[in-house]
Amino acid sequence: MKLTKRLALTTAALAAATAFLGTTAGNAAPADAALKPVKAPAALKVPDGNKLSGVYPARGVQTYTCTDGAWKLLEPAATLSDRRGRTVALHSRGPVWVSTVDGSAVNAAAIANSPKTGTIPELLLQATATRGAGVFGGVSYIQRLNTTGGVAPATACTGTDQVSVAYTATYAFYKPAK
């Protein structure tokens, strides 16, 4: 039952986010020759030797499950879009980002955070694995910035309740400089 409910919540969240974005099929817009630097708190600075490779706005949900009477993060489910608003990647538990354009993927783990009042924290994540040679192949670091929403309910919970809370963020991806 838990797995079925989680899959239903995740599927519904991705469908809603995709519908909201008004996405269309096709390839992502060409990468900018020179991406503009992103603004991030000092605590989330990417180490020297890495170059910004992509910046994508995301919209989705943070899904929480009741554990011992408190809400605990279960998984994110979000779509990332290009400048034209087309879906270019899906973000889910792992955390993992998978390109819907070329199949490349990156898994990562949070190594620093910067709390923000009323929203989920901004994060610096370090890649733990990559797949493919596409947009996410070779990614070394990811920043989750400009977060809104996504905070777990402040109320107590019971049993195996689950809740999905809408959020937005900007994800900035970095690769080693050559």
Side-chain angles (χ1 to χ4, degrees):
M1 168 110 170
K2 283 185 187 179
L3 180 59
T4 303
K5 188 172 183 181
R6 183 172 60 227
L7 289 173
L9 284 170
T10 301
T11 302
L14 286 174
T18 301
F20 178 82
L21 291 172
T23 58
T24 59
N27 293 328
D32 290 332
L35 293 171
K36 295 178 183 176
V38 295
K39 293 181 181 178
L44 305 182
K45 183 181 183 303
V46 173
D48 291 340
N50 293 279
K51 181 180 178 183
L52 186 63
S53 62
V55 179
Y56 305 100
R59 182 172 302 276
V61 297
Q62 297 282 319
T63 299
Y64 297 90
T65 188
C66 187
T67 304
D68 298 326
W71 293 108
K72 179 182 175 190
L73 179 65
L74 177 63
E75 63 188 348
T79 56
L80 282 67
S81 58
D82 66 10
R83 294 175 301 187
R84 296 180 186 153
R86 297 179 298 184
T87 299
V88 295
L90 300 176
H91 172 44
S92 61
R93 185 189 318 204
V96 63
W97 293 260
V98 179
S99 169
T100 57
V101 177
D102 61 31
S104 62
V106 58
N107 288 68
I111 58 172
N113 73 71
S114 180
K116 288 179 67 179
T117 303
T119 185
I120 54 176
E122 295 180 321
L123 298 175
L124 175 62
L125 302 104
Q126 185 171 20
T128 58
T130 61
R131 176 184 76 212
V135 68
F136 295 135
V139 165
S140 51
Y141 289 91
I142 304 162
Q143 290 171 318
R144 179 175 77 186
L145 304 168
N146 307 317
T147 56
T148 63
V151 177
T155 58
C157 60
T158 59
T160 58
D161 291 346
Q162 290 185 351
V163 64
S164 294
V165 182
Y167 88 103
T168 63
T170 300
Y171 288 96
F173 296 85
Y174 295 80
K175 293 183 179 183
K178 295 182 181 184

